[in-house]
């Protein structure tokens, strides 16, 4: 391979890593428009062609979305997330069914593997979630509820399951936002029973609690055609 080609490939890879870091660090949140090409080229210290190739690669992996005439937007936080978003699409029933598969097993694992530190974190997150719900701070509630569900999965200490769930964070958050807008009584979708089952090490109850509220949400959806 010619030296110039190797050098160029290295610059593109570096640019990809730097752009990806801006997404994963939260500097560029989901849905935001990234800086224009000339600005990125100057910030990264590379040519515009290098930036263009890096953006194209990240768009192909699902992290970025190029909208002709409008700019480039952040679509997902990782390649895994981008792939899973494409697989799940935007159908709420599909997302809830996948959530149920992961969260029920996550809760069962958490009941056997959680530490005291894990449990303290779950209770703190639960209290924050409930406070935000009572105060009607919906956007913050959506993020807090998603964070609580992710924390339950992490408490199972299964890295593969955790990464699968992490990859679905954006579509899960969207499903929380959609379902939390429905007029459901707060205590019917509370998670106190789930956290207490995990605390007690009750595997079966933890699984039932994790699946129960998702079954209820699925039951509220119209039947698929």
């Amino acid at each position: 391979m010619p030296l110039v080609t190797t050098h160029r490939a290295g610059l593109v890879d570096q640019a990809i890593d730097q752009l990806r870091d801006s997404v994963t660090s939260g500097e560029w949140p989901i849905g935001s428009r990234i800086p224009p090409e000339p600005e990125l080229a100057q910030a990264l210290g590379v040519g515009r062609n290098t930036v263009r190739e890096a953006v194209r690669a990240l768009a192909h992996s699902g992290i970025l979305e190029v909208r002709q005439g409008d700019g480039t937007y952040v679509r997902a936080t990782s390649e895994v997330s981008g792939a899973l978003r494409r697989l799940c699409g935007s159908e709420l029933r599909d997302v809830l069914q996948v959530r149920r598969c992961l969260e029920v097993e996550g809760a069962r694992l958490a009941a056997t593997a959680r530490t005291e530190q894990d449990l303290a974190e779950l209770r703190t997150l639960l209290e924050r979630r409930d406070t935000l719900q009572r105060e009607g701070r919906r956007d913050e509630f959506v993020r807090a509820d998603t964070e609580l569900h992710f924390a339950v999965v992490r408490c199972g200490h299964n890295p593969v399951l955790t990464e699968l769930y992490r990859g679905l964070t954006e579509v899960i958050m969207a499903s929380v936002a959609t379902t939390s807008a429905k007029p459901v009584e707060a205590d019917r979708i509370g998670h106190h029973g789930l956290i207490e089952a995990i605390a007690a090490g009750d595997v079966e109850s933890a699984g039932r609690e994790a699946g129960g509220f998702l079954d209820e949400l699925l039951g509220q959806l119209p039947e698929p055609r």
Side-chain angles (χ1 to χ4, degrees):
M1 180 181 291
L3 180 60
V4 65
T5 304
T6 304
H7 178 63
R8 179 171 179 77
L11 287 177
V12 172
D13 288 341
Q14 289 177 29
I16 289 172
D17 289 342
Q18 289 174 284
L19 295 178
R20 186 191 290 111
D21 287 346
S22 293
V23 173
T24 56
S25 69
E27 179 183 350
W28 298 341
I30 297 295
S32 66
R33 183 168 59 182
I34 71 173
E37 191 177 280
E39 186 176 331
L40 289 174
Q42 183 176 8
L44 298 177
V46 298
R48 292 179 62 173
N49 285 339
T50 299
V51 170
R52 194 173 299 124
E53 288 186 37
V55 168
R56 187 183 299 120
L58 290 174
H60 180 72
S61 68
I63 292 179
L64 299 179
E65 178 184 359
V66 179
R67 302 176 187 173
Q68 295 300 325
D70 187 20
T72 300
Y73 290 78
V74 179
R75 187 171 184 271
T77 56
S78 70
E79 284 84 352
V80 173
S81 179
L84 289 173
R85 283 177 69 99
R86 287 194 294 272
L87 286 172
C88 287
S90 58
E91 179 61 44
L92 181 58
R93 179 180 297 277
D94 294 344
V95 175
L96 291 178
Q97 287 173 341
V98 172
R99 280 187 62 186
R100 192 185 190 288
C101 293
L102 298 181
E103 291 182 24
V104 168
E105 188 57 31
R108 289 171 59 87
L109 288 173
T112 64
R114 61 84 180 164
T115 65
E116 289 302 316
Q117 184 177 351
D118 290 335
L119 188 56
E121 180 189 10
L122 290 178
R123 285 177 168 154
T124 297
L125 291 173
L126 177 62
E127 182 178 358
R128 181 169 181 272
R129 170 202 181 274
D130 290 351
T131 298
L132 292 170
Q133 185 179 49
R134 286 194 301 270
E135 295 177 354
R137 295 155 64 182
R138 184 167 175 270
D139 289 345
E140 293 174 83
F141 163 76
V142 167
R143 288 191 292 272
D145 189 70
T146 304
E147 187 177 357
L148 175 62
H149 289 293
F150 186 29
V152 168
V153 173
R154 286 200 309 271
C155 288
H157 297 281
N158 182 307
V160 177
L161 182 60
T162 297
E163 286 307 306
L164 282 173
Y165 197 88
R166 189 195 306 277
L168 279 170
T169 298
E170 286 82 36
V171 290
I172 289 171
M173 188 176 296
S175 74
V176 172
T178 300
T179 55
S180 66
K182 297 179 182 297
V184 181
E185 296 176 12
D187 60 349
R188 290 173 59 194
I189 57 171
H191 300 319
H192 291 266
L194 170 60
I195 304 308
E196 291 311 309
I198 292 172
D202 190 333
V203 174
E204 297 305 320
S205 291
R208 283 196 301 272
E209 290 285 345
F213 82 95
L214 287 167
D215 286 339
E216 183 170 349
L217 292 175
L218 282 163
Q220 294 174 4
L221 299 179
E223 289 297 322
R225 295 180 180 179

